[in-house]
Amino acid sequence: MNRRHNFNPGPAALPLEVLTQAREEAVEYGNRGMSLMEMSHRSPEVERMVEETRELLLGLLGLDDRYEALFMAGGASAQFGFIPMNLASAEAPGNYVLSGSFAEKAYLEAMRAGAAVAAASSKQTGWRAIPKLADIQLAEHAAYLHMTTNNTIEGTQLRELPDVSANVPLIGDMTSDILSRPFDYARFGLIYASAQKNLGPAGVTAVIIRRDLIERSAKADIPHIFRYDTFAQHDSLYNTPPVHAIWMMKLMLEWTRNQGSSEVLGERNARKACLLYDAIDASGGFYEGIAAAENRSMMNITWKLTDERLEASFLAQAEKNGFEGLAGHRSVGGLRASIYNAVPEESCAALASFLREFVRNHG
Ligand SMILES: *Cc1c(COP(=O)(O)O)cnc(C)c1O
């Protein structure tokens, strides 16, 4: 196979090692005469596999048993609804930092649950920047403060978290940068990430939640299938879970662990991002970065061609040269390269060369 340089935003690139291992183990799982996909979710094999995935994930995040990891369906978008339903109310609303269109979506869903206020917004910048931490204003009875650590569509990323009082838990949508850099995950009361960016193929969402918040969710007057305490009590096996997707996440987490450490991954991701930002910044104005320089993401690089008429030709030539997924999100336009953990450094170097060559041919 001639592997393409895959810069898709999600579903996104997976390591070839993970795909190969998945192929080898797909037909028969552990000498059991059947595949994992055919086994009961109540079987000891599946229970053990889910437990191992949970331990791997908490271990990589550096979190102890004050936290629980749950595996839920419905993507990060379902969490936009579950979080306010479980944890907020009209009297104690969720507070939202609006830093991009996914953050705004989370906020609008919480509004529908009647339980949200905006704590800060950078919408007036066209989401090019992230609100300053000093501008965050919490409501008096805030149930939590919700932040999106990496704004996938716009290409901005949080470097620091605000200091909030201990009784206002931080909630992080870390879908597009979980496990991509050293990070103090214990600053959060709840972290969620759908799998298809840094954790595997689509189909499951990891929810890492502190036990006091599980207890709080037990009071929510909502159906069991939406409640965090239901998933915690049943070890994520309350109903039939996406067994295959959880198993793929397990393979991806093992791969992540085998890369060394969060420092190794963080440094590699920084080098990858630098290759591309350097090519953009050194183009003499041929390309222009979209995100504010101080908020640039290491996961999603967004930029445009100053002469927008060349964009279609850029994309067509990129496609022909083996580069996949470079069109920007329709709401932003321009170009975007998503360089999650599984995207090799060589792909970023190849794209940086292509960027320079395109300037030579068209500049
Ligand atoms: C991709 C993404 C989402 C949406 O995830 P779904 O699994 O499609 O619901 C939400 N938030 C962020 C930060 C994302 O990157």
Side-chain angles (χ1 to χ4, degrees), residues 74-77 80 102 148 150 152 173 175-176 194 196-197:
S77 300
F80 294 169
F102 279 127
T148 309
N150 185 70
T152 322
D173 178 355
T175 296
S176 54
S194 50
Q196 67 272 19
K197 279 112 189 199

Side-chain angles (χ1 to χ4, degrees), residues 124-125 231 261 318 325:
Q124 76 285 351
T125 71
F231 279 75
S261 62

Side-chain angles (χ1 to χ4, degrees), residues 126-276:
W127 305 130
R128 283 184 62 253
I130 287 178
K132 295 208 175 18
L133 296 188
D135 293 339
I136 296 174
Q137 297 216 324
L138 285 186
E140 202 176 328
H141 299 290
Y144 56 78
L145 179 62
H146 179 284
M147 315 198 69
T148 309
T149 52
N150 185 70
N151 300 285
T152 322
I153 292 174
E154 297 81 7
T156 61
Q157 190 172 24
L158 268 187
R159 301 265 176 273
E160 290 173 289
L161 295 174
D163 278 315
V164 285
S165 87
N167 51 24
V168 181
L170 279 180
I171 293 184
D173 178 355
M174 302 198 76
T175 296
S176 54
D177 69 345
I178 191 167
L179 296 178
S180 69
R181 55 177 166 165
F183 201 89
D184 184 5
Y185 294 95
R187 295 282 302 277
F188 286 102
L190 188 156
I191 296 161
Y192 62 102
S194 50
Q196 67 272 19
K197 279 112 189 199
N198 264 327
L199 298 178
V204 63
T205 301
V207 178
I208 300 95
I209 179 170
R210 220 170 48 206
R211 293 189 189 279
D212 58 302
L213 295 180
I214 298 175
E215 278 155 34
R216 207 200 281 182
S217 82
K219 296 191 207 83
D221 189 12
I222 53 174
H224 285 112
I225 191 67
F226 299 152
R227 283 166 51 162
Y228 295 127
D229 69 318
T230 307
F231 279 75
Q233 274 164 24
H234 294 85
D235 297 327
S236 299
L237 295 165
Y238 169 69
N239 71 322
T240 320
V243 176
H244 187 257
I246 297 173
W247 178 62
M248 288 296 294
M249 183 186 287
K250 177 168 176 261
L251 300 189
M252 185 66 196
L253 291 172
E254 286 166 352
W255 178 88
T256 305
R257 186 191 54 197
N258 293 343
Q259 300 312 296
S261 62
S262 60
E263 281 78 18
V264 171
L265 273 172
E267 282 162 20
R268 185 195 300 162
N269 286 330
R271 283 196 304 274
K272 284 155 57 183
C274 258
L275 283 167
L276 298 177

Side-chain angles (χ1 to χ4, degrees), residues 284-361:
F286 186 87
Y287 303 115
E288 196 187 331
I290 293 176
E294 66 279 15
N295 294 144
R296 280 177 164 182
S297 167
M298 310 260 213
M299 292 277 103
N300 307 96
I301 317 298
T302 53
W303 78 103
K304 59 187 180 189
L305 291 147
T306 317
D307 181 354
E308 284 175 15
R309 291 167 306 178
L310 288 173
E311 196 175 293
S313 143
F314 177 94
L315 283 169
Q317 286 194 38
E319 169 80 34
K320 230 186 279 160
N321 283 273
F323 300 101
E324 187 88 8
L326 290 173
H329 189 272
R330 60 193 176 281
S331 65
V332 175
L335 304 160
R336 171 175 54 168
S338 299
I339 54 168
Y340 305 120
N341 287 349
V343 174
E345 209 164 339
E346 300 79 63
S347 286
C348 296
L351 179 57
S353 302
F354 176 77
L355 285 174
R356 285 190 289 269
E357 190 187 311
F358 194 85
V359 178
R360 279 195 298 276
N361 294 337

Side-chain angles (χ1 to χ4, degrees), residues 33-69:
M34 66 177 97
S35 75
L36 188 69
M37 289 170 269
E38 302 164 286
M39 284 182 199
S40 164
H41 61 292
R42 306 284 175 214
S43 65
E45 285 86 356
V46 172
E47 276 183 13
R48 197 174 324 120
M49 183 279 291
V50 173
E51 179 55 32
E52 285 168 3
T53 311
R54 179 187 300 121
E55 282 171 11
L56 259 171
L57 180 59
L58 289 172
L60 283 167
L61 295 168
L63 294 173
D64 58 25
D65 60 8
R66 285 177 304 148
Y67 287 83
E68 182 60 84

